[in-house]
Amino acid sequence: MPPTAIFSSKGALAYAELRRLILTAELAPGARLSQDEFAESMGMSITPLREAVRQLASEGLVTMSPHRDVRVSAASADEARQLLEVRLSLEPFATRLAAERRTDAQLRAMTEAADRLLPVNRRTGEEAIEAHRAFHQAVHAASGNDVMIRMLDDLWDKSDRYRRLGLTLPEGDAPRTEDLKQHHELLGLITAGDGPGAEVLSRAHIAHSLASTVLAVLDTTS
């Protein structure tokens, strides 16, 4: 949860659940959110739900009309591009720091996460997305930069919306075995302490990721 958000306990619960539903695409982009129905389903009044909706709107995850109509923000080429640009700026450097700073315990965590990796495609679905996220989180944690880790966590939350969208597109049928191979190559470079090499491979990995292919599709349809 963003540190600037101040909630009642029920507001925090509503925020966490709504954010989860949006980021996992259980509430699809563009879907209308009935605040009354959602509040009733969670056994709370409308007030804490409105707290949650205001925070989600500030994060760009929902849009609110003057008539209080609330919808899940649509996927857009502009947002996908901005997320990719920020990821290309931050994540390669975090990966370099991980190679230079990682502890033995952090290396074990990365290795264990790598053992659970699967190609991210329609066949492997949510299991692969979660394993993919866990591996990169282990890498980010080894950077030792808490500010960067928090920024990357939020970035990945929003980028995962586009990965899940990618699974619904023709690109979701691709085997994506090269992506899987690059994860293990990254682990090898981090294990060897090769910061510059890890940074270069990380940048190439991101540039050809599923999220980047979704951007290409959105660009042609916008």
Side-chain angles (χ1 to χ4, degrees), residues 108-129:
R108 285 194 297 273
M110 284 183 267
T111 302
E112 290 170 2
D115 289 341
R116 296 191 293 272
L117 284 167
L118 298 165
V120 180
N121 55 38
R122 189 173 298 141
R123 182 180 63 81
T124 55
E126 195 65 27
E127 181 183 2
I129 284 181

Side-chain angles (χ1 to χ4, degrees), residues 52-132:
V53 166
R54 283 194 293 270
Q55 181 61 31
L56 292 167
S58 76
E59 295 176 35
L61 292 175
V62 300
T63 58
M64 302 172 64
S65 77
H67 303 292
R68 295 188 178 275
D69 186 44
V70 179
R71 291 187 179 274
V72 177
S73 297
S76 73
D78 283 345
E79 182 182 45
R81 181 177 297 104
Q82 290 171 25
L83 290 168
L84 185 63
E85 287 171 353
V86 177
R87 192 178 170 206
L88 281 166
S89 298
L90 285 181
E91 192 163 348
F93 185 57
T95 306
R96 177 177 185 145
L97 291 179
E100 295 171 351
R101 297 176 174 177
R102 54 85 179 157
T103 65
D104 289 343
Q106 288 167 334
L107 185 57
R108 285 194 297 273
M110 284 183 267
T111 302
E112 290 170 2
D115 289 341
R116 296 191 293 272
L117 284 167
L118 298 165
V120 180
N121 55 38
R122 189 173 298 141
R123 182 180 63 81
T124 55
E126 195 65 27
E127 181 183 2
I129 284 181
E130 290 177 3
H132 180 237

Side-chain angles (χ1 to χ4, degrees), residues 26-207:
E26 291 181 55
L27 281 174
R32 181 178 178 276
L33 171 64
S34 170
Q35 296 184 72
D36 289 330
E37 290 178 9
F38 192 81
E40 183 178 356
S41 72
M42 293 200 70
M44 63 178 62
S45 71
I46 196 69
T47 300
L49 186 64
R50 285 175 179 160
E51 293 176 14
V53 166
R54 283 194 293 270
Q55 181 61 31
L56 292 167
S58 76
E59 295 176 35
L61 292 175
V62 300
T63 58
M64 302 172 64
S65 77
H67 303 292
R68 295 188 178 275
D69 186 44
V70 179
R71 291 187 179 274
V72 177
S73 297
S76 73
D78 283 345
E79 182 182 45
R81 181 177 297 104
Q82 290 171 25
L83 290 168
L84 185 63
E85 287 171 353
V86 177
R87 192 178 170 206
L88 281 166
S89 298
L90 285 181
E91 192 163 348
F93 185 57
T95 306
R96 177 177 185 145
L97 291 179
E100 295 171 351
R101 297 176 174 177
R102 54 85 179 157
T103 65
D104 289 343
Q106 288 167 334
L107 185 57
R108 285 194 297 273
M110 284 183 267
T111 302
E112 290 170 2
D115 289 341
R116 296 191 293 272
L117 284 167
L118 298 165
V120 180
N121 55 38
R122 189 173 298 141
R123 182 180 63 81
T124 55
E126 195 65 27
E127 181 183 2
I129 284 181
E130 290 177 3
H132 180 237
R133 173 71 177 266
F135 173 76
H136 283 278
Q137 281 183 315
V139 173
H140 302 161
S143 73
N145 186 314
D146 291 339
V147 173
M148 191 178 293
I149 291 165
R150 287 194 297 270
M151 293 173 71
L152 285 167
D153 275 346
D154 183 60
L155 181 66
W156 269 71
D157 281 346
K158 294 175 181 175
S159 296
D160 270 347
R161 290 184 76 207
Y162 289 88
R163 293 185 188 94
R164 290 182 173 97
L165 174 60
L167 299 184
T168 71
L169 301 172
E171 287 72 14
D173 280 328
R176 305 208 69 84
T177 51
E178 183 62 25
D179 286 0
L180 179 64
K181 178 183 174 185
Q182 287 176 342
H183 288 110
H184 293 283
E185 290 172 350
L186 275 174
L187 178 59
L189 291 167
I190 292 169
T191 301
D194 185 353
E199 183 174 15
V200 168
L201 180 56
S202 175
R203 186 168 288 109
H205 176 68
I206 295 164

